[in-house]
Amino acid sequence: MEIAVAFAAKVVEYTVAPIGRQLGYLIFYRRNVENLKTQVQRLEETKDRVQRDVDVAQRNGEKIHTDVQSWLSKVNELIEEASKLYGDEGRATTGFYSIGSCPNVLSRHQVSRKSTKLLLEVTKIQMRNFSSVSYNPPPPSLPLTVTLVTKDFKVLDSRTKILTQILEKLKDATIQTIGVWGFGGVGKTTLAKQVAKEVEESKMFGRVVMVTVTVNPDVRQIQGEIADALGLRFDEESEVGRSNRLWQRINQEKSILIIIDDIWGGFELERIGVLQEDGHQGSKLLLTSRNYDVLNREMGIQVGFRLEVLQEDEAWSLFEEMAGDTVKDPNVKPVAIEVVKRCAGLPVLIATVAKALKDEALFVWKNALKQLERFDKEVMHEKVFSALELSYNHLKGQEIKSLFLLIALHGQRSVYKYNLLIIIVGLRLFKYVDTLEDARNRLDKFTKDLKASCFLIEDHSEIVKIHDLVRDAGSSIAKKDQLFRIDFESESKEWPRKDILENFHGLFLSARHQDDLPERLECPQLQVFALKYHQNDLEISDSFFEVMREVKVLCLSKMMLISSPPCIFHGLKSLRALYLYKCILEDLAIVGELTNLEILSVYKSGIKQLPSEIGRLRRLKMLDLKECNSLEVIPPRVISNLICLEELNMEGSFTNWEIEARCNSKSCNASLSELNELPNLRSLDIRIPYFETLSTGMIFSFFEKLQRFKIDMGRRSIYSSNNLQILALNFWTWIECRELENGIKTLVEKVQTLQLNAVNGVKNVFHDLNAKGFPNLEVLYLWNLNNLVHICRGPFTEESFCKLRIVSVYKCERLKNVFPFSMRKVIRQLVEISVSNCKSMEEIVSSEREAENLEPELDDINEFTQLRNLTIEDLPALISFCSMEMISSTSQGINEKLTNATEIKEIDVTRKYENSLPLFSDKVLFPNMERLNLSGMERKFWDHRIPANFFSKLKLLEVTNCQKLVTIFSSDLARNFQSLETLTVRNCILVEEIFYFQELRNGKTLAGAIPCHLKYLCLEKLPKLKHICNGNHKGVLKIFQDLKDVEVRECENLNYIFPASLAKYLGQLEKLKIISSGITEIVAEDEETSEVISFNFHQVKYLSLLRLPKLKTFYPGLMIALEWPLLKELHVVDCSETFIFSSQVSDHHGDGLEMHRQQGKPFILSEKVIVPNLKNLCLGGNTAIMFYLNDQFQDLFHNLQILQVRDCSSLRSFVYAALSLVPFHNIHTLKIDSCDGLINLVTLSTVKSTLVQLQELSIKNCEMIEVIISSSDHQGQHVEEDEIAFPRLKSLELFNLPNLKSFCSQKSTLHFSSLKEVIVSVCPKMGMFSPFFADAPLLKGVLISHKFFEGDLNSTIRQMFMEKLAEMAKGFPSTINHPLHEKHQLLLARRTYHCDGCGASAGYGWSYVCGRCDFDLHPNCALEDSNKAINEAGYQEVKVV
């Protein structure tokens, strides 16, 4: 029964219930439809409200939540579906199945059913509530559109290198904070953005944030920018609260890089919230600033990178990329190169200028260059100048600002600190400074700060270097303080008006001529005056300084102060510093009146005696007599009276110290004992040549007070060092030194540089000189110590040689090693080792061990990590640098460094040495070696087993006098020299090839192992050299792609320089010099060369071909025409088989290219060759016959400025050969030498049109020349001109012209409006300068045979000729042949000479001269008294011509 009931219930459930539900759709049709309409209307209202919120959010730049967007999309779908259903409802009433007024039952059922289901969805979606429809998105990815786009950045190797290093440091888990610093505009921001881009693309960090700091950092603003980048909203108001909140947000990132750009001053990163003590290993900081000290001291970076200005090649690459094809124009390119130079390597300026000049005409480029030269900050330099001025304003304190302006006002790229110190002390620029040492220390500190702030490029111990652009900006800023620089050298200028001069406080003047200076300088407020002159003959009037009564510092260079006494210093009572550089001084007694003087320097000046009046200068702190090599007298008591003297510098100067035992009232010179009376002496630079000038115990009482000293004891000095404490003992016996033992030891304990040269008796430097072990010694020179057995032997302390960096050993005959292995700690710290001419030297580092000094860390010596420079020369007994027995093998470590064995067979030279030990074994590494010089080696240097990083950083290799070498680099060795930039090989008689690349058995070469950075190659005196690069060139075609300078000398068997396949890649070559070699062609054809070849010599500036008798052609094959767009200087001398100019035959190739093959003689240049910038041309020997040119060559010499022709016997008339056909309108220097066939130089008809720019004319050793300017043209026709002008000619030299009669043969007036110098020597037939008037208003006289004669040209020449006639009337013939000099005829001439017959110095007078050989005979030796000299020499009697 129960089963039946259950079954019936199920039947009802599955049949009756569905039927009822379907009937319900019909019964409740109206209600279902109305309910849906109501809910859809409500949904539309809700949708409209949400949509309004969305629209508002989007207008505010906010992002719409994804679920809101999905909800709106779904709502739209539901509303659209409901609308369709309403249409179906109408059809349900009037559809196909309706009968009369009865509705369609089927349609009503479907509409009601769909409405019910749709109602459920509408009701459900309407229940969704949104607290917000939008959010503030984080900023988009960092904007990477910068001044230098990515493709430009990649061309800058220096930037790519630093970028790579930064990325490596970012991977280092131990480094959290990295700094980049550099000058404004150098590209720090660009680099930072590039780092961000690389990091994002590589997914190195999950997030990258970059913010820029203002000049005055606002912590809240920085926090806000970082928070915005992270999508963080601060609810906190306090700085601390925001910091903690930001740090919490940063910690949520797994890894994040935060870049803070352009930091001007220090601030605590903890205050911002980007760095906390507990740390976050995934958080790293990259900071940029103009000031290293800000990053290092105040921001606490762990590692820093300085971004330097671009070098010339990189600056040009960037400029060329941004300026486009315009710079490829041969006329524009030279101007563009100068423009780039004036941009000082600053990318921001390069970019600005390149964009401004892109696609502009040549005149626009020239105008831009002029603006750059004048530093027009308003036009071209606004960005850079504003950056500089802003940086200047942020320098801390007026003292460092004043120092920067002083450096800039000097007008040089390099400024000596010494010059700055003089001005600083004289002007009292530094406060609270009492001594010169204090001033010097503060100067060093401030120059270091200026370098850290990028105002200086370099800061060395003696000089600072500054960029031209920074210097010019500093000079501009200095004008605000009434400090001015006037430079007459660079361009003509006018003096400022008197009312402006009256306000000058400082004036730095550079003059070209005497006329640049006024009679009196009207500057009553002037505090410092510096005058730079370059002619060594500047004279100023006694009234020049008359108005400058307040001047404190006076710096004068190359002046003649020869009045007796010089009155120009009279009245300068306020003067504190007087600096006279290279001045000619006769009497300085007046300086004794300058009682306020604190500094007196007569550096390199011509002074013979220091006047006794100098002893009145009781306030003098510095007396500088450096390199006054004429100084012979310093009266007694002058030095000892200078009681305030702190520094005395007599380097290269006075050495005539009075011998102590002879000192008395009649002594004429000072004695060394006077130094004991100077209580404030702290710096001393003197030379004591003789032991006798010392008295035991007397001179050394003041040594303990010396802070700086250079004391040279001995007859000759050879040291070179910039250290502060230097002692040199030269050519003394050790017995003499021991008598001064106390003084010597006092010096040695302080000494930083020690030189022992020929000090006989020293056997053990360590034991004999200093038991304390030289704790301060940095540089050690040991030369000519014949008894020296050990540099150091015996027990020593931790302080022994603890600072030693440089060791030089020369001619120490008994020395077998430099250091024993027991001194391994000293060896590890050495930076430079030089050992030469020690015949017993077996090892540089000895294998000898002393048991008491051995330690377990024996193997560490295998890497000389600090060694940078190594020189090994002429050591015949040398076995090895460091013998095998010395070091226990670290085979496992070494084997890991060894590369896999190659299949290359060892070259022949290796077999010769297979039983000998190489100089460098595989167990010693030099990972940081930069310079290696090897000379006189009789063994192989290395073998193929050396590790790949053996010389991985070597930049310079010089090999000399190694007589068993055959090849320098083979394939298996080249991999060790990847950084090599300079290679020099000299005087190696067996060397046949420099590079040899041998093909492996699998047909491959070691292409990846070649040195690809070679820039300079010098090969000299290699008589068997056949190939520079030999073997299989495949895979190594770009081996010379960075080569810039090639020099080849005296290589008789070398037939060519480069094979054509390699020469194609010489795009960086700038200089090629080939001398006295056997080459027949510069570039040779080879197997890899195609039929037609193109060479790229677009960077070549200098080409010199000297004494190449076999040279026939540049390249024998077919090539596209050569181009030399930057060639400025060309020398071709004694190349008898070559015309450097000739015509070409054009061959039209199938592809439309025009190829050129030389017609007749081979060519170097032709009418098809482009050489638009040739400025200096030197021709000699038979090569000069090329002057017979046609008019197609006219453009070739358009810019030529200097022309030299010598040893051309076939040249008859220069004008006929060249000037009549080829214009030389821009030549300013013309030199003719040893052209014996030359009869005249030019004709009257061509002077006006050809040599109008001539400034210097020199004609020497031309036997046949009779006149310089001929009145006949090349056809023999007489030409007349009333006037001839050389408006720019400044210098004229006529030397050894035996047949010259006059300068001009025509009765024309000669005008020389600029002529200042005329030299005439050994021109015996020159009776006049010209037949008519010669006007030279600036000429003061004529230098005839080394003696100066006042007067005009004609009268002076005539006087000399008449005197000669008078001598001849006494019986002296004008020319003779003499057996003591059979090469050439001797001419009677007047000059200063030394007789080569009797050896006497005859002074000025008549002699028989050979100008070419500089041979002189006194007339008595040549004629009257010659028989004796002749008989002694075994010659026959003289015959007079």
Side-chain angles (χ1 to χ4, degrees), residues 1228-1271:
H1228 62 64
T1229 299
L1230 177 58
K1231 296 184 178 182
I1232 310 292
D1233 191 350
S1234 301
C1235 295
D1236 290 339
L1238 190 67
I1239 298 176
N1240 60 67
L1241 184 69
V1242 294
T1243 65
L1244 286 173
S1245 59
T1246 56
V1247 169
K1248 290 184 177 181
S1249 61
T1250 55
L1251 300 177
V1252 292
Q1253 301 293 330
L1254 193 64
Q1255 298 178 22
E1256 179 182 355
L1257 175 61
S1258 174
I1259 304 177
K1260 297 181 179 181
N1261 304 312
C1262 298
E1263 290 188 359
M1264 299 300 295
I1265 192 167
E1266 298 177 355
V1267 64
I1268 307 301
I1269 302 176
S1270 173
S1271 60

Side-chain angles (χ1 to χ4, degrees), residues 1328-1385:
M1328 63 179 178
F1329 189 80
S1330 69
F1332 207 63
F1333 181 65
D1335 177 34
L1338 300 181
L1339 189 66
K1340 295 182 179 180
V1342 181
L1343 188 66
I1344 300 178
S1345 299
H1346 307 292
K1347 189 172 183 179
F1348 185 77
F1349 291 87
E1350 292 186 1
D1352 64 79
L1353 282 170
N1354 264 330
S1355 62
T1356 304
I1357 299 294
R1358 185 66 179 170
Q1359 178 185 351
M1360 179 191 71
F1361 185 72
M1362 294 305 294
E1363 290 180 1
K1364 181 178 179 179
L1365 290 179
E1367 294 290 339
M1368 293 176 61
K1370 298 177 182 179
F1372 289 173
S1374 59
T1375 61
I1376 65 171
N1377 292 325
H1378 201 285
L1380 292 180
H1381 189 75
E1382 295 178 332
K1383 292 182 180 179
H1384 306 105
Q1385 233 178 26

Side-chain angles (χ1 to χ4, degrees), residues 5-25:
V5 172
F7 176 76
K10 287 294 182 181
V11 171
V12 172
E13 179 181 352
Y14 287 106
T15 57
V16 177
I19 292 172
R21 190 162 53 248
Q22 300 301 322
L23 290 174
Y25 290 142

Side-chain angles (χ1 to χ4, degrees), residues 931-1052:
R931 300 172 66 92
L932 176 61
N933 294 275
L934 301 173
S935 179
M937 295 292 101
E938 296 296 327
R939 60 176 61 250
K940 66 175 181 178
F941 301 155
W942 39 63
D943 57 33
H944 65 274
R945 295 175 299 172
I946 62 174
N949 62 340
F950 192 77
F951 286 124
S952 59
K953 294 185 179 179
L954 190 70
K955 294 182 178 179
L956 180 147
L957 174 61
E958 184 169 334
V959 180
T960 308
N961 296 319
C962 296
Q963 308 303 352
K964 294 186 179 180
L965 278 180
V966 176
T967 300
I968 305 300
F969 292 110
S970 59
S971 302
D972 55 344
L973 290 175
R975 69 187 187 278
N976 292 281
F977 298 89
Q978 294 295 298
S979 300
L980 192 65
E981 295 180 357
T982 298
L983 174 62
T984 301
V985 185
R986 290 192 180 100
N987 199 25
C988 299
I989 61 174
L990 295 182
V991 166
E992 296 180 1
E993 54 203 8
I994 306 301
F995 297 96
Y996 177 69
F997 296 102
Q998 186 171 351
E999 187 173 331
L1000 301 179
R1001 292 176 183 174
N1002 57 10
K1004 297 182 179 180
T1005 59
L1006 295 177
I1010 61 172
C1012 294
H1013 300 289
L1014 193 65
K1015 295 181 180 179
Y1016 175 72
L1017 177 63
C1018 177
L1019 308 175
E1020 184 175 348
K1021 293 184 178 179
L1022 307 176
K1024 292 193 176 182
L1025 181 67
K1026 297 179 180 179
H1027 307 283
I1028 294 178
C1029 189
N1030 193 22
N1032 192 328
H1033 300 151
K1034 293 180 181 179
V1036 295
L1037 295 180
K1038 297 184 179 181
I1039 182 175
F1040 297 129
Q1041 63 181 358
D1042 291 335
L1043 199 60
K1044 291 187 175 183
D1045 192 337
V1046 177
E1047 183 171 349
V1048 178
R1049 291 175 179 262
E1050 298 182 48
C1051 299
E1052 295 86 349

Side-chain angles (χ1 to χ4, degrees), residues 661-782:
R662 303 175 187 173
C663 287
N664 54 49
S665 59
K666 296 182 179 180
S667 299
C668 62
N669 263 322
S671 66
L672 289 167
S673 61
E674 293 189 38
L675 300 178
N676 286 329
E677 301 180 42
L678 303 176
N680 299 302
L681 190 64
R682 296 294 181 272
S683 177
L684 178 64
D685 191 333
I686 61 171
R687 180 166 166 250
I688 307 170
Y690 303 109
F691 178 77
E692 292 81 4
T693 58
L694 298 171
S695 175
T696 304
M698 68 85 190
I699 190 174
F700 300 107
S701 60
F702 62 89
F703 275 0
E704 293 184 0
K705 295 182 292 184
L706 290 179
Q707 297 171 342
R708 298 169 179 262
F709 59 84
K710 291 184 181 179
I711 300 177
D712 188 356
M713 297 183 178
R715 294 184 292 277
R716 187 173 65 200
S717 177
I718 53 175
Y719 69 82
S720 176
S721 174
N722 293 324
N723 281 335
L724 304 181
Q725 290 87 26
I726 301 175
L727 174 63
L729 302 176
N730 303 288
F731 296 92
W732 284 29
T733 66
W734 190 233
I735 297 175
E736 291 173 331
C737 296
R738 288 181 64 84
E739 292 187 28
L740 304 171
E741 182 175 357
N742 293 333
I744 294 290
K745 287 188 175 181
T746 301
L747 294 175
V748 167
E749 290 176 6
K750 296 180 179 182
V751 76
Q752 293 177 335
T753 297
L754 175 64
Q755 174 188 298
L756 301 179
N757 180 23
V759 180
N760 297 325
V762 176
K763 295 183 178 181
N764 186 332
V765 174
F766 178 81
H767 179 269
D768 292 346
L769 285 181
N770 190 349
K772 294 183 178 180
F774 302 95
N776 295 307
L777 189 64
E778 297 179 12
V779 182
L780 178 61
Y781 293 97
L782 303 174

Side-chain angles (χ1 to χ4, degrees), residues 206-218:
R207 295 294 294 268
V208 181
V209 177
M210 183 171 179
V211 293
T212 301
V213 181
T214 57
V215 175
N216 299 309
D218 185 331

